[in-house]
Amino acid sequence: MTTQTMLWPLLRIEARKLAGRALLWVILALLAFLVIALNVALIAALAQSNLEGVPPTVLASLRASLQWPQSVLMALTFANGGELGGLFVAVLVGALVAQEYTWHTVHLWLSRGVKREAYLLAKFGVIVAALLLLVLVALLAGSVTTGIYTWQATGRLPWHAVPWGHVVAGIFETTLTLLPYAALTFAVAVLSRSSMVAVGVGLGYSLLVENLAAEVLMLVSPTVARVVRFLPGLLSKSVMRAVSPSETALMMSPTQTTAPPPLLSPGWAAVLLLGYTALGLGVAWWAFRKQDISA
Amino acid sequence: MAQPVIQLQHLHKRFGAVQAVRDLSLTVLAGECFGFLGPNGAGKTTTISMILGLLRPTSGQVRVLGEVVTPERTAVLRSVGALVGKPGFYPYLSARANLRLLARLYPTVDEGRIDEVLAQVGLAQAAERKVKGFSTGMKQRLGLAAALLHRPRLLILDEPTAGLDPIGMAEMRELLRRLTAEGTTVFLSSHLLHEIEQTCNRVGILDRGRLVAQGAVTELLAGRRDLEDVFFNVVAHTTPSHPQE
């Protein structure tokens, strides 16, 4: 049996394994809850009367971003790699890959003649499907919440005004922003064979390197800021700018302490994100091929 | 003459400074039950892991059913059933669901075969229970069911009776005898000498990574009380507390 012919049954096996994991459903439920809670909080803040200091143009932009059609695209930004998505991906991928070692189930497949490359490909293939699911849940939760708000505020739901083609493209672009985080955690899980280490490194990278260290370093010098834009977090923002330009700007402005570094074009950012993904997968593949799997 | 099913040629495995397997050569023929004996840490599981393509030999060659096996070349292992070390299963799935997952690798395995192997290992009543609630013995039984699922030509079992109660051990012995009688080749690793003596027709004894004795059980027993006597004679230097004559 070649890698190609083995891949289909392995994909089905991996999909069944994933569907049975409570962790996946907990993560999806948590993401949906956070997206709904964030939207409700923003809607509630806008409804308050003490917004005199806020310029009317900003208020109008915020209102528009919480109503259809804009809010449908904004829902995607919650799931991108530089936001909540990267964190959830680290937890999910770390557990899915490393627990195969602790449960001794890697042995189960490899000792049955499953090719190592087919096993790895099928696992990552199903992880990509899980990332897509993550993005769809964020889209659904955000769209439903803001849809209800839109209906209440305007008395109608502008279904036809939503750029559905753009939304579909945005689903794939947002999934793309999650890939480097998945590949990084995937590689660490294979190298360490520990879900604690894999999840820890994945979360640590997202929270400490991209959010904290990068912000601090950007204050140090403009040169560093130019380098930081090549990290997956800012590359994700570049890609998301193509998905939802106004919303990305809105999401950056409240917390940005410095002038944001000039982002790369979405096309280049996408290429670099794919490059990071290939690098992570390459490391995982190189390590897995050489690995002694002790019983 | 029976065909060789497992051929190990000058197999070495080193983990850093530790030489786990040294120049191991042996042949297991079709239809026999080969007992692979040795004290704890002798290198039995390491050898089995190399046979199954899980570990890369430092040097030497493994052939299974005539084909070379390496971590990159494992296609022939589809005809092998194995239970190595702690059996691995998905704890959040039932015993049946775990076997169904494995069955997807083998087009010939259907739901009826899953029922059959579950009954064979005495887990029919626990088929729908999640594996996380299983005792060690039950996991061991499920491991055996998984190894038998696709009617393998070669069955490799590493300490299959670990965690089994005396009834389970007797059932396992009976099952292995039946499988051998049906033509399945069995490679049985154990440190339970009595178990090997009762089940196997040929044995190899491993000590500190070296094969120190091999042959038919009847040959090795010549002039000896039992297999325990043979064992302590050849590995005496590593087991100072062995019973003296």
Side-chain angles (χ1 to χ4, degrees), chain B residues 83 85-89 91 93 95 121-123 126-127 129-144 160-166 168:
Chain B
L83 171 59
K86 184 182 153 201
F89 290 105
L93 296 176
V121 300
L123 281 181
R129 277 175 54 190
K130 287 191 176 171
V131 171
K132 65 182 169 195
F134 275 21
S135 66
T136 308
M138 289 169 86
K139 284 180 187 161
Q140 205 70 10
R141 286 169 186 265
L142 185 57
L144 184 64
T161 52
L164 292 185
D165 56 25

Side-chain angles (χ1 to χ4, degrees), chain B residues 145-210:
Chain B
L148 295 172
L149 188 64
H150 52 299
R151 296 187 174 89
R153 290 167 64 188
L154 167 64
L155 195 56
I156 297 176
L157 304 173
D158 184 19
E159 309 284 1
T161 52
L164 292 185
D165 56 25
I167 297 170
M169 288 166 87
E171 286 171 355
M172 176 78 79
R173 275 196 296 273
E174 185 48 40
L175 178 62
L176 292 181
R177 276 197 208 105
R178 202 167 64 231
L179 289 167
T180 314
E182 287 168 4
T184 307
T185 308
V186 177
F187 185 86
L188 176 62
S189 157
S190 179
H191 57 255
L192 299 177
L193 307 171
H194 185 62
E195 180 180 296
I196 296 278
E197 192 176 339
Q198 289 193 341
T199 319
C200 297
N201 40 18
R202 235 161 49 86
V203 295
I205 301 175
L206 201 64
D207 181 30
R208 292 189 294 185
R210 270 187 211 288

Side-chain angles (χ1 to χ4, degrees), chain A residues 27-44:
Chain A
I27 282 178
L28 292 178
L30 192 59
L31 176 66
F33 170 77
L34 287 173
V35 170
I36 292 168
L38 280 167
N39 276 309
V40 168
L42 283 170
I43 291 165

Side-chain angles (χ1 to χ4, degrees), chain A residues 19-20 44 47 60 75 87 91 96 104 119 136 158 172 174 186 199 220 222 235 243 245 249 256 270 291 294:
Chain A
L87 305 179
V91 175
L96 286 182
H104 283 233
Y119 174 82
L136 288 172
F172 292 106
T174 311
F186 195 88
V199 173
V220 176
L235 292 175
V243 175
Q256 205 81 50
Q291 213 161 50
S294 303

Side-chain angles (χ1 to χ4, degrees), chain A residues 1 9 12-13 16-17 20-21 100 102-105 108-114 116 289 291-293 295, chain B residues 13 45 53-56 74 77-78 84 86 88-93 101-102 104-106 146-147 150:
Chain A
M1 224 179 192
R12 290 180 60 209
I13 288 167
R16 172 67 188 93
K17 278 155 60 179
R21 291 295 298 263
E100 297 270 358
T102 46
W103 289 339
H104 283 233
T105 39
L108 194 65
W109 302 108
L110 299 188
S111 66
R112 285 171 184 268
V114 168
R116 291 188 181 209
R289 273 190 70 194
Q291 213 161 50
D292 273 347
I293 314 281
Chain B
K13 181 62 187 178
T45 303
L54 297 172
L55 294 181
R56 186 184 305 278
T74 56
L77 298 177
R78 291 177 61 79
V84 194
K86 184 182 153 201
F89 290 105
Y90 297 95
Y92 56 90
L93 296 176
L101 275 185
L102 291 173
R104 291 186 182 196
L105 286 180
Y106 310 102
H150 52 299

Side-chain angles (χ1 to χ4, degrees), chain A residues 225-241:
Chain A
R226 278 197 292 275
V227 174
V228 165
R229 69 193 172 140
F230 290 99
L231 290 179
L234 284 182
L235 292 175
S236 297
K237 284 195 166 65
S238 304
V239 170
M240 293 313 291
R241 196 172 50 175

